[in-house]
Amino acid sequence: MEYKNTLNLPKTDFPMKADLVLKEPRILEQWYSVNLYQKIREKYKIAPKYVLHDGPPYANGDIHIGHALNKILKDTVVKYKTMQGFNSAYVPGWDCHGLPVEHQLFKELGINKYQIDQVSFRKKAFNYAMRFVNIQKEQFKRLGVFGDWENPYLTLTPKYEAKILETFAKLVKKGYIYRGLKPVNWCCQCETALAEAEVEYEDHSSPSIYVKFKLIKSLFGHENISILIWTTTPWTLVSNVAIAVGPSMDYVLIKYLNQSEEQFLIVSGDLIEKVRNDIGIKEYQIIKTFKGKELEGLVARHPFIDRESKVILGEFVSHEEGTGAVHIAPGHGQEDYQTGLKNNLTIIMPVDDRGKFFALENLPELNGINVLEANPKILEILKSKNSLLFEGKIQHSYPHCWRCKNPIIFRATAQWFMSIDKNNLRKKLLDEVKKVKWIPAEGEARISGMLEV
């Protein structure tokens, strides 16, 4: 069948041979010289629409292979749908805000945020982003990607920002927006929260310790009883407010001699042999075996701060490692946070944006020290209080920042949230998800799962 040049474009005469390094620029030059994309849009302007919503790249550097793969695949879809007879326009855009842009600019300037005032930095960030919008635009065009390159959308344009503020104002007026504390992945080096996608897991060496929390009252007719917890983050003990035990797990109260003094410990029945070997207990006597739910409501004394630690129940507690008792600091972990909400626990947050302790009246020696560097000092304090029964090291997979490659922490910060339970919004969103055709189909389960949490 003879091809009909319905767009009335000049014929080309490119030899059918390789030499693409020279041939490709000539093809692209011809496309743009005749406004090919605009002619295609005019031809299909009344055709049914097929819109591909493209998440914008950050304007923070030259494109890389990930950008190329992303844009070429999407361009293939747009061109394919156009050839099927759809009006499939592509409007490119760039994300010009946030840490990705700031981080690269700081690297280029060779300074940190404390060495420049905010207004001056924002002006530099604007110019930096616009520079790479233009650079990336030409690089994407060189890939042969069709699009309205002269009229992209940019997140830093006043019109775009105004629409965001208008939408946010509507949500505020309707009562969807509120402020609260919630633990997030936090990079002390970059001084920012990280999304799950920005977290990388690398091997890391952490302390592995057993710590005694002494019960305030007698139990089963015995005094001087301690619940033994295990943790790999000693610094979070500063924010401890509770101890979680598994309600249906078996626990034992044991008695043993330590320097001729009777000691009583509560540990998981399944872990007692490992614990005794780690601590170095040669002989012990099981006084009583019981379920974790019998400990609910008991109160222990914090090992080195004048504070009570409440014994609560947690289905997440495991008998596969540790001691079967988990220390709870609601400001330093998602599970701890949810447990804290359920049990109305206080969120204590003595860690600043740079990951340093502050405002510790009872422990002034820790103020100004990075939390990870404070671990040895915490261990010394525990030893001085006779609360540390075991000290070791553990190699495990630990979250790191994808930008600076440093270990991160979990830290509660004051944030703005949108309540999707108000006015039955969660159900409405889930209903809308079901109306969408998802390719691949797994996408529906993924987005629904995020909304159901």
Side-chain angles (χ1 to χ4, degrees):
M1 186 174 71
E2 183 181 357
Y3 167 74
K4 294 182 179 180
N5 191 346
T6 57
L7 294 176
N8 298 316
L9 301 177
K11 292 185 177 180
T12 60
D13 184 24
F14 296 130
M16 291 301 292
K17 65 177 183 178
D19 205 18
L20 293 179
V21 173
L22 297 177
K23 187 183 296 184
E24 283 186 2
R26 290 172 59 196
I27 295 173
L28 295 174
E29 182 180 355
Q30 189 211 20
W31 286 357
Y32 288 108
S33 68
V34 298
N35 294 320
L36 178 59
Y37 178 75
Q38 287 72 20
K39 282 183 167 62
I40 293 173
R41 295 276 63 76
E42 179 64 25
K43 174 179 172 59
Y44 290 96
K45 65 180 181 181
I46 61 173
K49 287 187 176 182
Y50 182 92
V51 180
L52 188 150
H53 291 287
D54 184 21
Y58 291 115
N60 68 336
D62 292 304
I63 67 171
H64 49 67
I65 192 65
H67 290 106
L69 177 65
N70 180 289
K71 284 292 179 288
I72 290 172
L73 289 176
K74 291 175 178 176
D75 182 59
T76 300
V77 173
V78 170
K79 286 174 177 170
Y80 168 69
K81 299 306 290 189
T82 297
M83 293 171 70
Q84 283 190 315
F86 289 92
N87 179 7
S88 188
Y90 172 59
V91 179
W94 278 270
D95 189 337
C96 308
H97 291 100
L99 192 62
V101 174
E102 296 173 7
H103 182 72
Q104 291 300 114
L105 178 55
F106 277 127
K107 286 174 63 175
E108 183 176 283
L109 296 174
I111 60 175
N112 60 48
K113 71 177 188 178
Y114 300 105
Q115 295 172 295
I116 187 172
D117 68 272
Q118 291 186 10
V119 175
S120 298
F121 182 73
R122 286 172 185 164
K123 290 180 180 177
K124 290 181 181 295
F126 177 92
N127 293 330
Y128 180 88
M130 290 305 300
R131 169 156 57 100
F132 278 104
V133 163
N134 292 322
I135 290 173
Q136 289 190 10
K137 179 195 299 183
E138 294 305 314
Q139 292 171 336
F140 286 136
K141 289 167 69 175
R142 178 63 183 84
L143 294 177
V145 176
F146 274 174
D148 190 1
W149 294 107
E150 303 312 311
N151 298 289
Y153 69 90
L154 307 177
T155 61
L156 54 65
T157 57
K159 183 178 180 180
Y160 192 99
E161 291 180 329
K163 182 57 66 174
I164 291 174
L165 290 174
E166 288 174 10
T167 303
F168 184 71
K170 291 178 182 177
L171 292 171
V172 172
K173 288 180 180 178
K174 292 181 179 180
Y176 285 104
I177 308 301
Y178 68 96
R179 190 169 173 81
L181 278 175
K182 185 178 182 181
V184 295
N185 297 312
W186 186 267
C187 178
C188 305
Q189 186 74 23
C190 300
E191 297 182 39
T192 187
L194 300 176
E196 283 298 327
E198 297 175 307
V199 175
E200 298 176 342
Y201 287 84
E202 304 288 345
D203 285 341
H204 184 72
S205 178
S206 296
S208 175
I209 63 173
Y210 297 158
V211 180
K212 293 192 302 181
F213 278 70
K214 186 177 179 180
L215 294 179
I216 291 178
K217 296 182 179 180
S218 62
L219 180 66
F220 305 133
H222 296 278
E223 305 284 345
N224 196 28
I225 296 176
S226 296
I227 296 179
L228 195 64
I229 69 97
W230 171 66
T231 183
T232 59
T233 54
W235 64 270
T236 61
L237 289 169
V238 174
S239 303
N240 171 275
V241 293
I243 304 165
V245 295
S248 60
M249 284 173 52
D250 289 322
Y251 290 84
V252 292
L253 171 64
I254 68 167
K255 179 176 71 173
Y256 69 100
L257 290 179
N258 181 22
Q259 297 179 352
S260 301
E261 182 181 353
E262 283 189 347
Q263 300 285 324
F264 293 89
L265 286 180
I266 292 175
V267 297
S268 163
D270 293 328
L271 295 166
I272 180 60
E273 287 304 314
K274 181 182 185 305
V275 170
R276 69 168 290 194
N277 288 330
D278 288 339
I279 296 175
I281 300 175
K282 294 182 179 180
E283 295 183 0
Y284 68 92
Q285 178 185 355
I286 295 179
I287 303 299
K288 187 174 179 60
T289 300
F290 53 94
K291 296 293 185 182
K293 61 185 178 182
E294 295 185 48
L295 298 174
E296 184 180 16
L298 295 178
V299 178
R301 179 65 60 190
H302 190 286
F304 56 86
I305 296 176
D306 185 16
R307 183 191 306 150
E308 292 183 348
S309 189
K310 183 180 178 182
V311 181
I312 60 176
L313 303 181
E315 295 291 347
F316 57 87
V317 179
S318 168
H319 56 72
E320 295 179 0
E321 58 184 0
T323 65
V326 178
H327 108 81
I328 301 296
H332 294 302
Q334 188 60 35
E335 233 167 28
D336 290 34
Y337 174 71
Q338 295 296 337
T339 302
L341 292 179
K342 182 179 179 180
N343 292 274
N344 196 30
L345 301 177
T346 303
I347 297 178
I348 298 175
M349 182 41 57
V351 182
D352 66 17
D353 289 357
R354 287 182 282 182
K356 296 182 177 181
F357 283 119
F358 73 100
L360 291 176
E361 297 180 2
N362 295 330
L363 297 166
E365 65 270 31
L366 294 181
N367 287 327
I369 298 178
N370 179 276
V371 293
L372 297 180
E373 296 171 358
N375 280 333
K377 293 184 179 293
I378 298 291
L379 297 186
E380 289 302 317
I381 294 173
L382 287 168
K383 290 176 184 176
S384 69
K385 301 292 185 179
N386 294 318
S387 296
L388 183 66
L389 289 194
F390 172 74
E391 173 187 356
K393 290 285 185 180
I394 184 174
Q395 289 290 131
H396 60 154
S397 180
Y398 189 86
H400 288 64
C401 174
W402 72 291
R403 297 183 186 91
C404 68
K405 308 303 179 182
N406 285 302
I408 66 173
I409 64 173
F410 296 98
R411 171 177 176 263
T413 62
Q415 303 169 65
W416 291 103
F417 298 95
M418 177 176 169
S419 174
I420 63 172
D421 288 314
K422 186 177 180 64
N423 297 330
N424 206 27
L425 180 58
R426 189 190 301 272
K427 183 180 183 305
K428 294 176 183 176
L429 292 171
L430 288 169
D431 289 342
E432 290 299 318
V433 168
K434 295 176 183 177
K435 297 177 183 178
V436 177
K437 180 180 179 182
W438 295 85
I439 304 173
E442 294 79 35
E444 180 177 352
R446 182 181 178 189
I447 195 71
S448 295
M450 294 171 65
L451 290 169
E452 288 168 351
V453 174

